Amino acid sequence: MTVTTPPDATAPEATPDRGRGTDIGLLLVVILAFTALVFSFVAFASGDDDAETAAGGGDAGGAPTSALATLTEFAINPESLVVSGSGVLDVRNDGSQVHNLVVVDHDVRTADLNNGESESLDVSSLAEGEYELICDIAGHADAGMRGTLVVGDTPAAGEAAGGGHGGDHTEMTEEEADALDQAMMDTMNAFPAETEGVGNEPLEPVEIMADGTKRFELTAEIVEWEVEPGKMVEAWTYNGMVPGPYIKVDLGDKLRFDVTNDLPMGTDVHWHGIRTPNSMDGVAPYTQDLIKRGETFTYEFEAVKKAVGIYHAHVHGQMAVPNGMLGIIQIGDVDLPRGRTISGVEIPADLEISQEIPMVLNDAGTIGLSLNGKSFPATAPIVAEQGEWILVHYANEGLQVHPMHQHQFPQLVVAKDGIPLDNPYFADTVNVAPGERYSVLINPDDPGTWVWHCHILTHVEREEGMFGMVTAMVVN
Ligand SMILES: [Cu+2]
């Protein structure tokens, strides 16, 4: 087994910030130093370096003695691997997160690999046959990191080598091709599909207190969530929905959120993009104690600045947020460029918004590739009358960038992260990175069904058909 560490994975000569960042700076140094220690230990513990192999080498007609598998967010590439009984898998992490490669039900696995690291995995302990591969970092297999491994010169070997996404389909029979065509048409014709549960339900205050404070209640809890027709997942939620309730309040409101934790572990709530006192920023243990299971914590702050924010768990965020602990919190209305001319288009001075739609993007965890907690064909279409003006707030709570493409109607980007732009601009594709919000105006002026989707094509299609980050604007 050989583990190679990228040259930059050494302890940095970090200098702690002076002032209020000192604690965080020190913590980072400790974490980085510890990480470097782990790297060097792993490298030391795996001193056997005679497994260096030429990628893809193999006898003509037999299974190759080695095969290269790369790990990315969130795929094992290629999905189908073939290697001879005495062979090795060269596994390399080309992703930005930590990944590993595990042969399911067998004691054959790589270490957890950081970006740029690789390991030669000896598969000689496996008998000839077909095996399931996953990355077993929490949530990654569900997000798509699955594959198959064929060991030995089995009849399945040739078949497996040609299959998978982006595989060579020239050997496909007409029947197989027709089946793939049909699957694609069937999934598209199923849109919009009914599923249980709707996210983004407006959150009303449970009471207006004596001093005018609006008091809201949020409960963090795990529920069964139908992410696509018939596919139930364990969602981590606020008030049992994904995304969590849509919180829209007025500028100047006094707000109180009683957050009860019914999760199996601790939580907190960070108000991303909202101005709050430091003690309300929701970062345990720096600004508050962890909300332990069964406990309630109260957040109180005034809505002092207009915002299109998101709220989500901060602690265990890499798991809790993709699993569903995310929602939109908006203060006031986004200022629009009424009466201005942008790229030759006159924006009406009396423009009224007919529909204001949050669109939360996600790509990982139990929820996976989705718009507003649903995967196509369970995503909700946006139904519009010709000529109306629709305001959409994209919010990316996933782990990857998503270029959101609306067919036919250019999107007028009016605000970034809730901050109105001095120079709004039109784009047919708006790239939304994790944590970002873009507010876009759309003026559908042409009847028809116009699809609207992430343009990373593996986020919207798989061989079984269309899925994931697709919806449509239906213009009457
Ligand atoms: Cu995408």
Side-chain angles (χ1 to χ4, degrees), residues 361-363 369 400-404 453-460 469:
L361 318 179
N362 190 3
D363 50 43
L369 292 156
Q400 301 180 63
V401 170
H402 300 288
M404 295 302 297
H453 61 93
C454 170
H455 218 290
I456 294 178
L457 301 179
T458 49
H459 293 182
V460 297
M469 308 184 78

Side-chain angles (χ1 to χ4, degrees), residues 378-401:
T379 46
I382 284 76
V383 181
E385 296 302 318
Q386 190 176 353
E388 64 178 273
W389 289 84
I390 295 171
L391 182 62
V392 175
H393 304 295
Y394 294 118
N396 187 347
E397 287 275 26
L399 309 180
Q400 301 180 63
V401 170

Side-chain angles (χ1 to χ4, degrees), residues 2-9 39 70-73 91-99 112-119:
T2 309
V3 174
T4 50
T5 304
D8 58 350
F39 282 159
T70 60
L71 309 175
T72 55
E73 288 77 37
V91 183
R92 189 178 73 217
N93 183 1
D94 283 350
S96 55
Q97 301 177 43
V98 174
H99 298 297
D112 289 353
L113 302 174
N114 286 280
N115 164 262
E117 286 186 324
S118 51
E119 177 175 334

Side-chain angles (χ1 to χ4, degrees), residues 294-353:
E295 290 181 354
T296 298
F297 184 89
T298 295
Y299 293 90
E300 276 184 301
F301 53 89
E302 203 175 320
V304 292
K305 214 164 183 250
K306 283 189 173 187
V308 179
I310 44 188
Y311 63 99
H312 52 218
H314 203 270
V315 67
H316 308 305
Q318 57 88 16
M319 175 188 60
V321 178
N323 283 359
M325 294 188 70
L326 45 86
I328 301 251
I329 174 168
Q330 185 177 345
I331 299 173
D333 288 313
V334 171
D335 293 328
L336 301 175
R338 292 184 173 89
R340 289 176 58 182
T341 299
I342 296 161
S343 299
V345 177
E346 279 179 41
I347 311 302
D350 58 352
L351 182 153
E352 291 291 338
I353 296 299

